[in-house]
Amino acid sequence: MHLIAPSVLAADFTRLADDIAMVNRSEADWFHLDVMDGRFVPNITFGMFIIEAIAKMAIKPLDVHLMIVEPEKYVEQFKSAGADVITVHYEACPHLHRTLQQIKATGAKAGVALNPHTPVSVLEDLIEDIDLVCLMSVNPGFGGQRFIYQTIPKIRKLREMIVTANASTLIEIDGGVGLQNAESLLQAGANVLVAGSSVFSAKDPEATIKALKAFEKNTL
Ligand code: DX5
Ligand code: ZN
C-alpha cells in the first residue's frame, strides 16, 4: 500500500493546529515538512523550531525535506526536533554517502531528493544505502506548481534500479501531485505521494486524502 504525505507548506499557518489535527485524523501516513533556506532554493520557509512545535501535536511520522545547502550541519538538530525521515538534496551534498550515514546514525531514515534535471542514474552505486528517494516533480522552492511530466519515466527507471539491486528503497514523488496524476505515478512505481495544494486547497481536504489513499496500484 502506498503512503500519502500531505505537505504542511500548503496549510493555513494562522490555524496550523487545526490543519495538523485534520492530518492526524485523516488516512494520511506522514507529515511532509519543507525546509527552505533561501540559498539552495529561492524561498525561505521554516526550520527546527516550527518542526518541534508540529512534533508536539503530530501523531504520524515527520518526513523532513531539507532544501538547504550544507544540510550535514543540521542533521542532528532536525532529528532532535522530531524528524523521522530526513531527506537531503543530491545537488547539495558533495559527500552524500557520508551524509546518509550521518542521518542513519541519528536513528532517522535517510532520504535523497533529486531535482527535475538530475538523472536517477547518479544514485546507482549507493541505492542500497538510501531508505527513500524523493523525485522532485517540480523545481523545488514553491508549492502549487505544475507537475513535470518527464518524472514518470524517471520513476520507472528508478524502480528498475531498486529491483535490480534488491533494495527496499521507497520512491517518493513531490510536486504537483493530486487526484489527476496519482494513479499514473503509482503505476510507474511510486510508493509515497506528497500532496500540498491538492490537499489543503481542496473543499474537503480529509476526503481528498482518502481518495489519494484509495488508488489501487494496478500494474496491468
Ligand atoms: C516544493 C516542495 C513540495 C511542495 C509541494 O519545493 O518540496 O513539498 O510543498 O506542493 P504542491 O503539492 O502544492 O506542489
Ligand atoms: Zn517537499
Side-chain angles (χ1 to χ4, degrees):
M1 191 49 157
H2 61 279
L3 307 180
I4 303 297
S7 172
V8 172
L9 186 63
D12 180 348
F13 275 70
T14 63
R15 45 179 212 79
L16 188 54
D18 294 348
D19 282 350
I20 295 169
M22 182 280 291
V23 175
N24 276 343
R25 68 173 180 266
S26 77
E27 288 182 28
D29 299 276
W30 294 349
F31 284 84
H32 184 84
L33 304 175
D34 290 305
V35 178
M36 304 187 191
D37 66 353
R39 293 190 61 210
F40 181 70
V41 287
N43 192 14
I44 299 178
T45 56
F46 49 80
M48 43 291 247
F49 180 73
I50 298 288
I51 292 179
E52 216 175 320
I54 293 172
K56 287 191 183 136
M57 266 197 85
I59 60 167
K60 298 177 180 183
L62 303 187
D63 173 32
V64 174
H65 178 191
L66 298 180
M67 284 160 275
I68 64 176
V69 298
E70 300 181 314
E72 66 280 357
K73 284 189 178 169
Y74 307 103
V75 164
E76 289 75 18
Q77 287 183 64
F78 279 109
K79 172 61 188 168
S80 312
D84 295 284
V85 182
I86 299 179
T87 297
V88 294
H89 265 264
Y90 168 82
E91 300 84 3
C93 293
H95 302 287
L96 182 59
H97 184 270
R98 180 187 290 156
T99 306
L100 291 173
Q101 305 311 318
Q102 186 192 352
I103 295 171
K104 287 184 180 174
T106 69
K109 298 271 183 220
V112 178
L114 299 183
N115 278 339
H117 74 277
T118 305
V120 295
S121 57
V122 296
L123 300 179
E124 201 164 347
D125 297 325
L126 78 171
I127 193 70
E128 286 155 85
D129 293 309
I130 307 174
D131 295 311
L132 173 145
V133 174
C134 173
L135 293 182
M136 290 309 302
S137 38
V138 297
N139 285 295
F142 303 93
Q145 301 181 78
R146 188 191 287 265
F147 179 82
I148 297 173
Y149 70 88
Q150 288 95 331
T151 311
I152 303 265
K154 286 177 81 174
I155 302 174
R156 291 203 198 97
K157 275 187 207 159
L158 182 57
R159 174 55 58 208
E160 250 181 64
M161 194 193 292
I162 292 167
V163 169
T164 305
N166 203 16
S168 49
T169 315
L170 296 174
I171 302 178
E172 178 178 69
I173 311 302
D174 188 6
V177 174
L179 294 169
Q180 74 291 350
N181 55 12
E183 195 165 19
S184 12
L185 300 173
L186 295 170
Q187 275 174 13
N191 307 105
V192 186
L193 302 182
V194 175
S197 40
S198 66
V199 163
F200 288 97
S201 313
K203 256 205 178 118
D204 187 343
E206 213 178 319
T208 305
I209 292 170
K210 192 181 171 71
L212 285 168
K213 188 74 184 164
F215 281 111
E216 290 278 330
K217 189 182 275 188
N218 180 359
T219 46
L220 288 177

